[in-house]
Amino acid sequence: MTGLSEHNRRRGLVFAMGGLGGLVMLDETVLGVSLPAIQSDLGLSATTAHWILNAYMLAFTCFAAIGGKAIDLFGLRPALIASCSLFAAACLIAGFADNAALLITMRVVQGLCAAIMFPITFAATTLTFESDERGRALGVLGATATLFLAVGPLIGGVLTDLLSWRWVFWINIPVVGTAGVLACMLWRAPDAKSARPDIDRIGLILLLVGLTALIFGLMEGPDAGWGTRLIYLSLAAGIVGLSAFVIWEVRQTAPLIDVRLFQSPAFTAGVLVFLLTQMSKIVVAVLVPQYLQLDLSYSALWAGAATVIAVLPIPFLSAPAGTIADKSGSRRPVLGGLIVLIAANLCIGTAMLLDNYLVLAPVLLIWGIALPFAMIPAGRITANAVPSEKQGEVSGLLITFRLIGATLGVTLGSVFLAIDAGFPAVFWTVAAIFVGCTAFCWFGIRPEQQAAS
């Protein structure tokens, strides 16, 4: 862009990329408030309604590992123009959908586009800034993106209550259009050309088949019957597919996910915490608004506003959590954060039995404060547990496992609600899972690693 200084060009690019990354994160949380309205309007079962969320997550999860290679394969502008245009078109059609099949199909398309858009935001930022400025740039990028995530429930409630749930999809179009155009205008390709990357196609297929079959079996089991042949075959295909994926990846020189990294207990612990904190985040963002609407008869608007108290601390406390980990090591904040998350999830489930938001709100706030102190240092552990030449690969791996956690969160909620276990049981189960994670981290993150990890 003529007349724009290099400093302002790079700063503008970061905010444009933050808008795109934020839009992807917004689509993870904004729909939770709207699900009851969508379910009622289209006459969907609870399981089918949750597929509207999981279709997006599954497509995003399976293709995020190759989405980061889009710049090397096609160039940033072509990849961004194609993905943003298709994303906008899918949002437009989803808003007009009058049946579950079309809506879920458009959510798959959105997930595929997000798998390209989201990694590009990180890649473009790291390619634009030198190493001594990169940390601050990534911090601005992350803060911009996570603000979208934090206000997702509120935006979903406002649009659903005052306009229609269809606007939850249509609101994406001006955002992706503006941010995409600015990013293309402000992008300047680096002089050095990188080699065209290889894509592990067989690994991608095995991951896609394994995850989809496993999630399908878990989500459809309550409706179809756990003893039916379809569910047995689906669960078996999922287990076989994911097992074959691990075996295949171990033998590859350029794997989709380098599973050999998990030989390090500290690395495994960090990834596990990252996955489970993302799972917990989606459980709160999706199920708390539904509980407020279905059990406390809140409107979508007030349910969204009431849920913001849980997710709002996350973008503001992420940087301080990282600073504390830099100064005192990652072990203490991770273990402390996990212990508080166990207590918070137990209290959230118990508070739901009382049907009183004034009791629920404080524990939601505590949950939101604790989450970044477990999640951010966990990401730091994984980065410090591998050599420098693996850092790019670890970033892509964390994105993938972040999405697997989100997918499992939706699945867990769907299964428990389908068997009428109730909202509290979901949070008590999450607390139990965190107990196991805390025990693993206690031994996996050794005290002597604290200063270095």
Side-chain angles (χ1 to χ4, degrees):
M1 295 179 70
T2 59
L4 194 66
S5 69
E6 178 63 12
H7 172 73
N8 287 333
R9 181 194 70 83
R10 293 190 298 169
R11 184 168 62 176
L13 180 67
V14 169
F15 283 111
M17 289 298 177
L20 289 175
L23 183 66
V24 171
M25 289 191 172
L26 180 70
D27 263 32
E28 295 179 10
T29 60
V30 72
L31 267 183
V33 182
S34 306
L35 272 188
I38 297 173
Q39 182 179 345
S40 174
D41 197 19
L42 300 184
L44 310 179
S45 68
T47 302
T48 303
H50 282 161
W51 269 114
I52 298 170
L53 288 168
N54 246 354
Y56 176 83
M57 295 295 184
L58 270 175
F60 194 174
T61 301
C62 293
F63 288 90
I66 65 171
K69 301 177 181 180
I71 291 181
D72 296 325
L73 287 169
F74 310 109
L76 183 136
R77 284 192 184 91
L80 208 54
I81 290 171
S83 58
C84 288
S85 300
L86 191 56
F87 187 91
C91 290
L92 180 66
I93 297 171
F96 285 109
D98 59 358
N99 61 80
L102 179 59
L103 185 52
I104 291 172
T105 300
M106 290 302 101
R107 290 291 284 168
V108 170
V109 175
Q110 283 182 282
L112 292 174
C113 295
I116 297 173
M117 291 160 55
F118 194 69
I120 278 180
T121 64
F122 287 92
T125 303
T126 55
L127 289 172
T128 298
F129 289 85
E130 300 297 332
S131 58
D132 58 338
E133 299 178 295
R134 196 170 291 158
R136 182 180 179 184
L138 288 172
V140 173
L141 178 75
T144 305
T146 50
L147 278 175
F148 279 72
L149 180 143
V151 300
L154 178 59
I155 292 175
V158 170
L159 293 175
T160 302
D161 231 25
L162 301 184
L163 296 172
S164 163
W165 62 263
R166 299 180 185 278
W167 281 95
V168 171
F169 298 102
W170 292 336
I171 193 66
N172 292 334
I173 298 173
V175 179
V176 72
T178 303
V181 169
L182 283 176
C184 288
M185 294 174 65
L186 296 170
W187 167 249
R188 185 176 298 168
D191 296 332
K193 297 291 184 180
S194 57
R196 191 178 182 88
D198 294 326
I199 294 179
D200 181 10
R201 294 177 178 84
I202 295 179
L204 175 63
I205 293 171
L206 291 173
L207 179 64
L208 180 63
V209 170
L211 268 181
T212 303
L214 183 63
I215 297 301
F216 178 86
L218 290 173
M219 289 188 68
E220 294 296 328
D223 287 342
W226 294 107
T228 60
R229 180 176 297 180
L230 173 65
I231 300 304
Y232 273 138
L233 290 176
S234 180
L235 293 175
I239 294 170
V240 171
L242 292 176
S243 300
F245 171 76
V246 172
I247 295 171
W248 172 263
E249 294 295 280
V250 168
R251 301 178 179 180
Q252 303 309 302
T253 56
L256 194 68
I257 295 175
D258 190 353
V259 295
R260 288 164 292 196
L261 293 173
F262 290 93
Q263 293 173 348
S264 164
F267 180 85
T268 303
V271 172
L272 181 62
V273 172
F274 209 75
L275 183 151
L276 293 181
T277 51
Q278 298 302 323
M279 181 185 76
S280 182
K281 185 192 299 181
I282 290 298
V283 166
V284 168
V286 173
L287 295 190
V288 169
Q290 290 188 53
Y291 160 77
L292 294 172
Q293 291 178 79
L294 299 177
D295 286 15
L296 299 189
S297 300
Y298 277 39
S299 67
L301 190 157
W302 285 109
T307 306
V308 168
I309 193 173
V311 293
L312 193 58
I314 297 172
F316 298 103
L317 292 179
S318 293
T323 301
I324 290 173
D326 285 337
K327 292 181 178 179
S328 63
S330 300
R331 187 174 191 269
R332 288 179 181 175
V334 165
L335 292 175
L338 288 173
I339 291 171
V340 176
L341 285 172
I342 293 169
N345 276 281
L346 287 173
C347 290
I348 290 172
T350 303
M352 285 179 167
L353 295 176
L354 303 177
D355 289 337
N356 188 329
Y357 177 72
L358 294 179
V359 177
L360 179 63
V363 290
L364 288 176
L365 179 62
I366 292 171
W367 173 90
I369 292 171
L371 193 79
F373 286 94
M375 180 176 64
I376 302 302
R380 183 175 176 273
I381 288 172
T382 59
N384 290 344
V386 299
S388 57
E389 63 271 15
K390 289 282 187 180
Q391 293 304 313
E393 186 174 345
V394 167
S395 297
L397 185 145
L398 283 180
I399 291 174
T400 300
F401 275 86
R402 169 184 176 275
L403 294 165
I404 290 175
T407 304
L408 291 176
V410 177
T411 304
L412 178 68
S414 177
V415 169
F416 272 68
L417 294 184
I419 62 176
D420 293 324
F423 292 103
V426 180
F427 290 93
W428 293 334
T429 302
V430 171
I433 294 172
F434 272 125
V435 169
C437 176
T438 304
F440 183 87
C441 290
W442 184 273
F443 296 102
I445 308 171
R446 295 177 298 178
E448 59 266 26
Q449 291 176 311
Q450 192 171 334
S453 65

